[in-house]
């Protein structure tokens, strides 16, 4: 498993770089430079320029995800475990979940300004619904018979949570985060083109407007690597905390 965690992505990376190189030879235009030139440019400007943009983007994603987890996990568990809570909150979730979250960006910017908060809230809104639905459905699908022995022994909710609820829904929870992460990164790119001078979205769009295609592709590579890093962290968490699910 450890061997796979290190080398799992290498064939795909080699294939994509080779495909990129072939396309650059066929097109033979500055708009699609050689991957070698883009990677060389990335190395040259990373510490002086791109690093600060990558830091801001990474911070916004982590802050939004953590906020969604802190709020979404207890609510999702209560919705799945307690019928009354689900009856009250489920209609609200069903009505607000289909709303395109990116459409709320102008409202968030009007209410919260153009700083960090609306960008973090956009990530939060995307992730929390995935968390809520995954936990609620996962707990609801647990057979009720599994709870009876613990009820008979006088177990507290803490015991039921630790012994049944959390182990049962943890794989679904991590999968929900993995699905939400891709959308969150895409939306973050869009939000970073407004009201900020830092972030990978700003860097890529600024390079595009300056017709600096090497910088643009260098930024795209960094944004892709950030996503790969986040997915890798989730994979490691799943392997460590869900050993029984292998």
């Amino acid at each position: 498993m450890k061997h796979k965690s290190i080398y799992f992505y290498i064939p795909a990376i080699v294939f994509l770089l080779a495909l990129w190189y072939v396309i650059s030879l066929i097109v033979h235009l500055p708009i699609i430079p050689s991957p070698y030139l883009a990677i060389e440019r990335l190395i040259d400007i990373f510490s002086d320029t791109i690093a600060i943009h990558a830091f801001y983007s990474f911070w916004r994603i982590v802050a939004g995800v953590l906020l969604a987890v802190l709020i979404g996990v207890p609510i999702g568990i209560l919705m799945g475990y307690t019928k009354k809570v689900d009856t009250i909150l489920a209609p609200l979730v069903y009505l607000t979940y289909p709303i395109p979250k990116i459409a709320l960006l102008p409202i968030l910017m009007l209410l919260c300004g153009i700083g960090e908060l609306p960008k973090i809230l956009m990530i939060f809104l995307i992730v929390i619904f995935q968390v809520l639905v995954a936990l609620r459905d996962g707990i609801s699908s647990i057979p009720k018979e599994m709870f009876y022995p613990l009820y008979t022994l006088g177990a507290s909710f803490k015991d039921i949570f630790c012994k049944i609820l959390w182990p049962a829904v943890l794989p679904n929870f991590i999968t929900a985060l993995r699905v939400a992460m891709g959308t969150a990164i895409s939306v973050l790119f869009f939000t970073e083109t407004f009201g900020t001078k830092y972030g990978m979205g700003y860097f890529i769009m600024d390079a595009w407007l300056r017709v600096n295609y090497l910088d643009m592709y260098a930024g795209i590579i960094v944004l892709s690597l950030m996503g790969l890093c986040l997915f890798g962290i989730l994979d490691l968490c799943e392997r460590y905390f869900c050993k029984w699910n292998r």
Side-chain angles (χ1 to χ4, degrees), residues 88-149:
I88 296 172
L89 296 182
L92 180 62
V93 172
Y94 291 161
L95 287 172
T96 55
Y97 185 25
I99 298 175
K101 306 307 178 290
I102 196 65
L104 301 176
L105 180 60
I107 300 175
L108 293 177
M109 294 179 69
L110 288 173
L111 293 175
C112 306
I114 58 176
E116 295 296 303
L117 187 56
K119 299 172 180 59
I120 294 174
L121 287 178
M122 284 300 302
I123 304 298
F124 164 78
L125 290 173
I126 291 169
V127 176
I128 190 170
F129 285 101
Q130 299 279 0
V131 171
L132 283 173
V133 173
L135 292 178
R136 180 248 189 190
D137 292 348
I139 292 176
S140 299
S141 65
I142 299 175
K144 300 301 181 184
E145 293 77 12
M146 294 187 64
F147 298 101
Y148 295 154

Side-chain angles (χ1 to χ4, degrees), residues 61 75 89 101 122 131 168 179 198 216:
I61 293 174
I75 296 177
L89 296 182
K101 306 307 178 290
M122 284 300 302
V131 171
V179 172
Y198 296 103
M216 183 182 73

Side-chain angles (χ1 to χ4, degrees), residues 205-220:
M205 293 302 295
D206 180 67
W208 174 63
L209 292 173
R210 292 185 287 107
V211 199
N212 190 333
Y213 296 122
L214 285 179
D215 280 10
M216 183 182 73
Y217 279 95
I220 293 173

Side-chain angles (χ1 to χ4, degrees), residues 61 67 184 237:
I61 293 174
L67 184 62
C237 290

